[in-house]
Amino acid sequence: MSVETADRVAAVTSSRPSTPLQTSWFEFLLDGSLLENHLQKSYPDPTPVQLIIQFLEQASKPSVNEQNQVQPPVDNRRNRTLKLLALKVAAHLKWDLDALEKGLTIPVLNMLLNELLCVSKVPPGVKHVDLDLSTLPPTTAMAVIIYNRWAIRTIVLSSFPEKQTKPGPHQMNMLSIVQQEKEMTDNILTVLKEQATDSISVLEGALQLKKDFYVHTLRTLDLLAADAAANGETESSTAGLRISANELQCQVHYDLGGIFFQQGCTDQTAYENARDHFRQTKELLTKNTPYNQINSLIRARNYQAVIEAFIKDNVCRSLPNNFRRSVLREFLYKVQQGESTLDEVCYKLCVCNAVRDALEGEVLSVRFQQLLLKPSKKMVDFILEVCTLSLEKGRQSETSRRNMGTFMKTLCETLEELSLLFVVSSHKLFMELLKEEERKVLVEQLRKRSTTINLSAKPLPSFYDIPASASVNIGQLEQQLILLLEPRRIRQILMELHGMAERPFWRVNSKWEVPPDYINVILGIKDNLTKDLVYILMAKGLHCISIKDFAHARQLFSACLELVTEFSPKLRQVMLNEMLLLEVRAHETMAAEGSKERPSSDLVSRVRGYLEMRIHDLPLRQVVGKECVAFMLNWRENDYLTLQVPPSLVMNNPYIKLGQLLASTCKELPGPKECRRTAKELWDVVVQICSVSIQHKRNHDGRVGLIKQRESSMGILHRSKFITFIKKIREPLVLTTLISLFVRLHSIVRDDIVNEVTAEHLSIWPSTLPNIQAVDVEAVAVTVKELVSYALTLNPNNQSWLITQADIYFVTNQYSAALNFYLQAGAVCSDFFTKAVPPDVYSDQVAVLCQFLREVDYMTAFKALQEQNSHDAMDSFYDYIWDVTILEYLTHIHHKRGETEKRQIAIKAIGQTELNTSNPEEVLQLAAQKRKKRFLQAMAKLYF
């Protein structure tokens, strides 16, 4: 390698980010504190089980004497320390056999647990079945139990079939090592199986001991290393990790159930033993889970114990936040039902949850913020007590301590009463968590703020007692309230306003509107501040959705959801429904703007959940159901709508009924005749929507007449709602199906067999109507026009829709508009007339277009050419006519009218050599194609 190359390699190497080197096993021998720091990392490298393997591998390496003979591993300080390090790693894993079995081979785990028996002072040379566990020290007895649990678990696991891997060429040199390990494993299994009966007896004896046990921790193992066991501390009842009697029995019952179940194939009674042990495991599990412990305390009305459990959980954090909040909601609901004695429990649980949020760096809940508006000395003392207990024993990380310091600052900034501020700022936790400089800055800010506080502190009797300057301040705050979109600032301003005046601030802006379906529920909220906040957050969120500002809408709705979740299950579901509608509209908006991204499975699942939801006395907006069904149609979830949607929903929700029929019809297209049955059902529903009730009334002359009441629709939906629903659909096949249906319906009620409107799939619909008088002809005509126009806004290049639109204009005598859309259809299917237009595109049109038909329509052409009221400058298009018969007729008619100039133009056109009828057919066809292309391009320039 040249010097230049070496420099380049060095430069590249130095520019790469360096990867931390893996810590080597021997470094843990040199630094006693390194192991614990290493294990505390989020992703330690090596992992705990890798460390155990390395430590035991080094400790069990055979030595070689001076005669070069292999000797057993030396029992020296190095090897004893390595074994102890392996035990400490297992202690860090809390002796979790699942984790150890998953990461360690049977020989390594056997060595580890035998070392545990040794350090736990299990008498050597004595069978475990002969030991009286009740007389042994707790850590000694626990070591025996762990070993025998592993023994029977290993027997069970070894009975499972394993796929044998075939070594490749590069693995052949390791074959002997693998074979040695297999032999060691087989030998260990043989011994374990021989002792299986003894192990079962040991564990059955452990079940009779109704007491807690202790297992070694890093601390007790450190004491052993320091030879501190002489005072008995490592074997006493207070040292090590406590394992409750229930927890231990649950584990032992499960392991015994496993071994008995495995033995059941040869001993039927073993299955019965397995069933009993698994049953007891299940019963004990219900006692051991944190959820069941909390629920048991609630059922026993031991509320103080619930609070203490929440405080302890702030340290270990085993309860999920959503479970803790649900417990608080349960108590709040009880208070709403009249159990006012639980007020104190509610605020204490709220404080516990707030401290947990603070430790994790989460946003503090609205309810806790409201608590701080009316603080008391007792409340502040309790907050500080919970903070202190939640940081006990130094078990919290540095991040959690920093978060707690931030919480203490927030507490000081929120409290206004000086005496309470002093309580917080003089607390030892405040001193410990905040640096001296931070404390000085905060105290100075509080001192400045205290000078602005009204020292009279008298409550204002009414709004009219507020001084003029305060009124100006209220006006400014109200103006901010109208403009703001940030939920936290909205809440802060509302708090300030409620501190200055008691009145409904949700009325500040007349444009704030919430759906009528929800108004009674929201205005029924007792707390005025909460009522204002819910109303305003929802109104602002709905406004943001209407202007497609979905990001702000999500923030506002999320804050509203968090707020109502704390006191109203009904409003919580309302907000979940509105947030679903938000996500559906946001996704549909992106799709309308060209995004091809499919909705997530979670969103589809939520839509299904809404469609299937049945909650008594819950206000529901029809618009949510409507857009959910349209969403499913747009993303072709036809299988769900046709096969999985519950029948009760189809009967009760008109949008689901329509969605199912549309999905079924589209699914079977183009399909055999069987699809007409589903199409007939859809047809009947739509005909009913477009029908009106008819009353018979006798006239003055005695004859009976018919009166149509247009406002009283007979269908499952009013026509206006049906149109609104259709305009939420983007899926082309669904729209084509609806257009086809309405074209057929339109042609039947018009009863015009001469001028037909064309569309796809017309053959699947009925050709007659039994009660044609009931159908609102005008409504059908308007709907078909609206539907086709809407479809073309989504895809202006759909040939079928363009032809249908052109036909509609043609049969209503709007020829110019018809020609425009015929030309668009031709342009779409011919690459702007650079290719031939398919012969079935054009129907009966005038003059030049008559040549486009398979059989030239001379009658229509001649009739059109006789028009004298025309102002279409048709003589300028004579060069584009390739049919000689038409040109000869033009010459005749202009001569008859005395139109000499136009006659000369026609003669010149007919005299072109390429139109001579004696020419070969290929020449005539080429001339026709050239004129077609030029004519249509010229027409397109006029109309486009």
Side-chain angles (χ1 to χ4, degrees):
M1 181 185 293
S2 66
V3 175
E4 292 82 357
T5 306
D7 288 342
R8 281 199 302 274
V9 172
V12 170
T13 306
S14 63
S15 66
R16 294 173 182 159
S18 59
T19 303
L21 294 175
Q22 188 183 68
T23 309
S24 298
W25 61 269
F26 62 84
E27 294 180 61
F28 297 98
L29 287 172
L30 303 175
D31 184 352
S33 63
L34 180 59
L35 180 64
E36 195 165 349
N37 292 334
H38 179 80
L39 294 174
Q40 293 296 332
K41 294 177 181 177
S42 301
Y43 301 101
D45 185 18
T47 64
V49 289
Q50 288 173 340
L51 279 178
I52 292 175
I53 294 169
Q54 291 177 17
F55 292 149
L56 293 181
E57 185 182 62
Q58 295 298 324
S60 60
K61 270 189 176 180
S63 59
V64 180
N65 61 13
E66 294 177 356
Q67 288 77 32
N68 213 26
Q69 296 172 327
V70 177
Q71 301 291 317
V74 180
D75 182 19
N76 56 20
R77 183 179 176 186
R78 169 190 176 274
N79 286 350
R80 286 195 298 273
T81 304
L82 284 169
K83 292 175 183 177
L84 189 66
L85 287 170
L87 290 172
K88 291 173 76 172
V89 176
H92 168 75
L93 296 174
K94 298 182 181 179
W95 304 98
D96 182 352
L97 287 179
D98 284 327
L100 294 172
E101 289 165 345
K102 185 177 180 181
L104 304 178
T105 62
I106 289 176
V108 173
L109 191 45
N110 180 61
M111 189 189 310
L112 178 73
L113 295 181
N114 273 291
E115 193 61 33
L116 173 65
L117 295 173
C118 181
V119 300
S120 300
K121 302 203 169 37
V122 175
V126 181
K127 287 187 174 181
H128 291 176
V129 72
D130 296 332
L131 294 171
D132 184 357
L133 295 181
S134 63
T135 63
L136 295 177
T139 52
T140 306
M142 194 63 194
V144 173
I145 292 170
I146 289 175
Y147 179 86
N148 285 280
R149 282 185 59 219
W150 169 74
I152 65 172
R153 287 164 64 101
T154 303
I155 294 170
V156 173
L157 290 172
S158 67
S159 67
F160 297 160
E162 289 186 3
K163 182 179 180 181
Q164 298 297 321
T165 57
K166 295 181 180 179
H170 63 289
Q171 294 176 315
M172 294 304 292
N173 60 335
M174 295 186 64
L175 194 57
S176 60
I177 299 174
V178 173
Q179 187 62 34
Q180 288 176 18
E181 185 171 305
K182 184 179 185 306
E183 290 176 1
M184 291 174 62
T185 300
D186 291 342
N187 292 336
I188 293 169
L189 283 172
T190 301
V191 174
L192 294 179
K193 289 175 181 177
E194 290 173 355
Q195 299 174 349
T197 304
D198 287 353
S199 292
I200 291 171
S201 298
V202 169
L203 294 176
E204 288 178 334
L207 292 175
Q208 307 306 316
L209 303 176
K210 309 295 183 182
K211 65 175 185 178
D212 296 345
F213 282 87
Y214 290 81
V215 69
H216 279 301
T217 61
L218 274 76
R219 177 175 175 273
T220 59
L221 291 169
D222 272 336
L223 291 172
L224 282 174
D227 201 21
N231 61 12
E233 185 178 356
T234 57
E235 299 168 4
S236 73
S237 60
T238 58
L241 176 66
R242 184 176 71 86
I243 308 296
S244 69
N246 280 343
E247 185 178 354
L248 179 64
Q249 290 197 359
C250 185
Q251 294 171 346
V252 172
H253 273 302
Y254 181 75
D255 293 334
L256 286 172
I259 190 70
F260 282 126
F261 188 82
Q262 189 253 344
Q263 294 174 352
C265 57
T266 57
D267 181 5
Q268 188 63 30
T269 58
Y271 278 136
E272 297 176 5
N273 288 335
R275 180 196 61 197
D276 293 339
H277 282 293
F278 286 145
R279 178 181 53 78
Q280 293 184 71
T281 301
K282 184 178 179 182
E283 291 175 359
L284 287 163
L285 275 174
T286 60
K287 296 180 182 177
N288 283 330
T289 61
Y291 306 98
N292 285 294
Q293 291 172 1
I294 297 294
N295 289 330
S296 298
L297 293 172
I298 293 173
R299 284 194 298 270
R301 293 183 171 271
N302 190 351
Y303 301 137
Q304 182 57 36
V306 175
I307 295 167
E308 291 171 0
F310 270 46
I311 296 174
K312 288 179 182 177
D313 186 65
N314 283 351
V315 179
C316 62
R317 304 186 198 176
S318 60
L319 292 173
N321 281 328
N322 57 357
F323 174 76
R324 292 171 60 115
R325 292 178 188 130
S326 70
V327 172
L328 174 58
R329 287 198 297 272
E330 184 178 335
F331 280 100
L332 290 167
Y333 179 74
K334 289 180 179 180
V335 171
Q336 284 187 335
Q337 298 303 308
E339 295 186 47
S340 56
T341 54
L342 296 178
D343 272 335
E344 184 174 345
V345 178
C346 288
Y347 98 70
K348 287 188 174 180
L349 289 177
C350 183
V351 168
C352 292
N353 286 348
V355 173
R356 167 74 174 268
D357 289 338
L359 286 167
E360 295 179 342
E362 299 291 334
V363 177
L364 299 177
S365 69
V366 174
R367 181 159 293 278
F368 181 71
Q369 298 275 7
Q370 291 174 331
L371 274 181
L372 295 181
L373 289 177
K374 299 178 181 178
S376 64
K377 172 71 163 55
K378 182 180 178 182
M379 182 194 297
V380 173
D381 286 341
F382 181 72
I383 293 173
L384 294 172
E385 178 189 353
V386 174
C387 291
T388 304
L389 293 173
S390 299
L391 287 174
E392 69 173 348
K393 296 182 181 178
R395 289 180 60 181
Q396 299 291 4
S397 65
E398 190 58 38
T399 301
S400 295
R401 293 180 67 83
R402 283 198 301 271
N403 290 338
M404 184 61 78
T406 303
F407 176 72
M408 299 296 286
K409 289 171 65 176
T410 303
L411 201 58
C412 289
E413 291 167 351
T414 307
L415 296 172
E416 293 189 354
E417 192 174 327
L418 293 177
S419 60
L420 298 179
L421 280 172
F422 180 75
V423 170
V424 178
S425 60
S426 61
H427 195 270
K428 65 175 183 178
L429 205 58
F430 182 87
M431 303 294 182
E432 291 174 6
L433 297 176
L434 296 178
K435 297 177 182 177
E436 184 179 0
E437 187 61 33
E438 287 181 300
R439 295 200 303 270
K440 285 182 179 178
V441 171
L442 183 59
V443 169
E444 183 60 31
Q445 289 175 348
L446 296 176
R447 185 179 291 112
K448 289 179 180 178
R449 193 185 74 184
S450 66
T451 60
T452 65
I453 295 176
N454 184 359
L455 298 178
S456 65
K458 289 197 300 184
L460 297 170
S462 70
F463 170 68
Y464 298 102
D465 294 324
I466 301 173
S469 59
S471 299
V472 173
N473 195 23
I474 284 179
Q476 293 171 344
L477 289 174
E478 287 178 342
Q479 186 65 26
Q480 290 185 46
L481 190 62
I482 292 171
L483 298 175
L484 281 171
L485 289 175
E486 205 277 307
R488 185 177 297 183
R489 285 289 297 133
I490 291 171
R491 184 183 65 231
Q492 290 172 344
I493 287 178
L494 273 174
M495 287 178 177
E496 291 183 48
L497 287 169
H498 274 268
M500 302 169 75
E502 281 297 329
R503 67 184 189 196
F505 289 100
W506 60 269
R507 294 180 176 174
V508 165
N509 188 354
S510 61
K511 294 184 179 179
W512 286 339
E513 294 180 352
V514 300
D517 312 75
Y518 305 154
I519 192 70
N520 290 334
V521 183
I522 295 175
L523 297 186
I525 298 172
K526 294 179 181 177
D527 181 75
N528 290 330
L529 173 59
T530 306
K531 182 193 305 178
D532 285 346
L533 190 52
V534 171
Y535 188 101
I536 293 171
L537 288 174
M538 182 183 284
K540 283 177 175 283
L542 290 170
H543 172 70
C544 287
I545 293 175
S546 70
I547 61 173
K548 299 183 180 181
D549 182 0
F550 299 114
H552 278 116
R554 285 190 186 95
Q555 293 176 10
L556 292 158
F557 276 4
S558 296
C560 194
L561 175 63
E562 181 192 351
L563 175 61
V564 300
T565 295
E566 296 180 351
F567 66 87
S568 174
K570 186 182 293 186
L571 275 174
R572 178 178 181 273
Q573 190 58 56
V574 163
M575 287 312 305
L576 288 173
N577 294 347
E578 290 299 318
M579 292 181 78
L580 172 61
L581 179 60
L582 184 159
E583 296 303 332
V584 166
R585 284 186 173 172
H587 199 280
E588 291 298 278
T589 299
M590 288 194 302
E593 291 171 353
S595 171
K596 301 297 182 184
E597 182 181 351
R598 281 193 62 81
S600 66
S601 58
D602 174 65
L603 181 55
V604 174
S605 177
R606 286 168 61 193
V607 170
R608 290 184 177 187
Y610 177 84
L611 294 176
E612 296 173 11
M613 182 175 61
R614 281 294 171 270
I615 300 178
H616 178 66
D617 196 30
L618 181 70
L620 294 174
R621 285 212 292 159
Q622 274 205 339
V623 66
V624 186
K626 173 178 66 183
E627 299 202 20
C628 282
V629 172
F631 172 87
M632 299 294 270
L633 287 171
N634 286 337
W635 294 103
R636 300 184 183 178
E637 293 288 331
N638 291 341
D639 285 341
Y640 173 78
L641 289 172
T642 56
L643 302 175
Q644 299 174 31
V645 65
S648 58
L649 298 184
V650 179
M651 298 299 295
N652 297 325
N653 190 319
Y655 294 111
I656 295 179
K657 174 73 172 176
L658 270 172
Q660 186 185 64
L661 291 174
L662 281 166
S664 299
T665 306
C666 293
K667 192 176 177 183
E668 294 172 358
L669 286 175
K673 291 184 178 179
E674 285 75 10
C675 80
R676 296 188 181 184
R677 180 183 59 80
T678 308
K680 176 65 164 59
E681 291 182 43
L682 177 60
W683 171 271
D684 290 341
V685 167
V686 173
V687 167
Q688 285 293 310
I689 290 173
C690 294
S691 297
V692 291
S693 61
I694 297 177
Q695 291 184 354
H696 296 269
K697 186 176 181 181
R698 191 172 296 278
N699 297 328
H700 295 294
D701 57 3
R703 288 180 298 178
V704 176
L706 299 179
I707 298 177
K708 291 185 179 182
Q709 295 186 344
R710 293 185 181 277
E711 69 279 1
S712 57
S713 173
M714 297 170 61
I716 59 175
L717 277 177
H718 282 283
R719 193 184 68 87
S720 58
K721 291 184 177 179
F722 176 65
I723 292 294
T724 307
F725 171 66
I726 289 174
K727 290 185 177 179
K728 294 293 180 184
I729 296 173
R730 293 177 294 96
E731 166 56 29
L733 185 57
V734 178
L735 289 171
T736 296
T737 303
L738 284 167
I739 289 171
S740 173
L741 186 155
F742 272 96
V743 164
R744 170 51 60 88
L745 183 58
H746 187 237
S747 67
I748 293 174
V749 297
R750 282 183 61 252
D751 194 22
D752 184 353
I753 63 172
V754 176
N755 297 314
E756 288 287 332
V757 178
T758 57
E760 295 183 74
H761 312 302
L762 287 175
S763 61
I764 68 173
W765 310 112
S767 56
T768 58
L769 278 175
N771 189 14
I772 195 169
Q773 290 180 320
V775 178
D776 188 339
V777 180
E778 183 182 342
V780 173
V782 170
T783 303
V784 72
K785 290 176 183 176
E786 281 192 61
L787 179 53
V788 178
S789 297
Y790 166 69
L792 286 171
T793 62
L794 299 177
N795 183 4
N797 296 324
N798 186 300
Q799 176 193 325
S800 171
W801 298 347
L802 287 167
I803 291 292
T804 301
Q805 181 73 292
D807 283 351
I808 290 170
Y809 281 126
F810 185 81
V811 300
T812 54
N813 302 322
Q814 300 179 64
Y815 299 120
S816 178
L819 186 55
N820 186 340
F821 280 95
Y822 281 124
L823 288 168
Q824 288 187 49
V828 165
C829 66
S830 65
D831 241 355
F832 203 76
F833 306 117
T834 58
K835 301 173 184 175
V837 179
D840 57 344
V841 170
Y842 291 131
S843 55
D844 299 344
Q845 297 301 304
V846 294
V848 176
L849 291 185
C850 290
Q851 303 170 99
F852 284 81
L853 305 180
R854 289 188 179 92
E855 294 292 333
V856 178
D857 187 356
Y858 291 115
M859 185 177 294
T860 304
F862 295 164
K863 181 182 175 183
L865 293 173
Q866 290 177 19
E867 285 284 342
Q868 288 187 298
N869 298 326
S870 167
H871 298 283
D872 55 4
M874 68 176 184
D875 51 309
S876 63
F877 291 100
Y878 289 174
D879 280 342
Y880 305 128
I881 298 176
W882 58 89
D883 188 274
V884 175
T885 304
I886 294 177
L887 285 171
E888 287 174 344
Y889 181 79
L890 279 171
T891 306
H892 164 72
I893 201 170
H894 287 312
H895 175 71
K896 186 177 178 181
R897 291 176 183 170
E899 296 169 342
T900 307
E901 290 183 8
K902 290 184 179 182
R903 178 173 176 271
Q904 287 302 319
I905 295 173
I907 291 172
K908 182 180 178 182
I910 203 172
Q912 297 176 81
T913 55
E914 54 192 336
L915 296 183
N916 192 320
T917 54
S918 301
N919 288 337
E921 184 63 27
E922 294 81 1
V923 175
L924 294 174
Q925 286 295 327
L926 184 62
Q929 290 298 330
K930 184 172 70 172
R931 282 163 175 74
K932 281 182 183 180
K933 175 181 173 181
R934 287 170 50 215
F935 165 71
L936 291 172
Q937 288 177 338
M939 292 294 289
K941 288 178 182 178
L942 286 177
Y943 279 91
F944 298 168

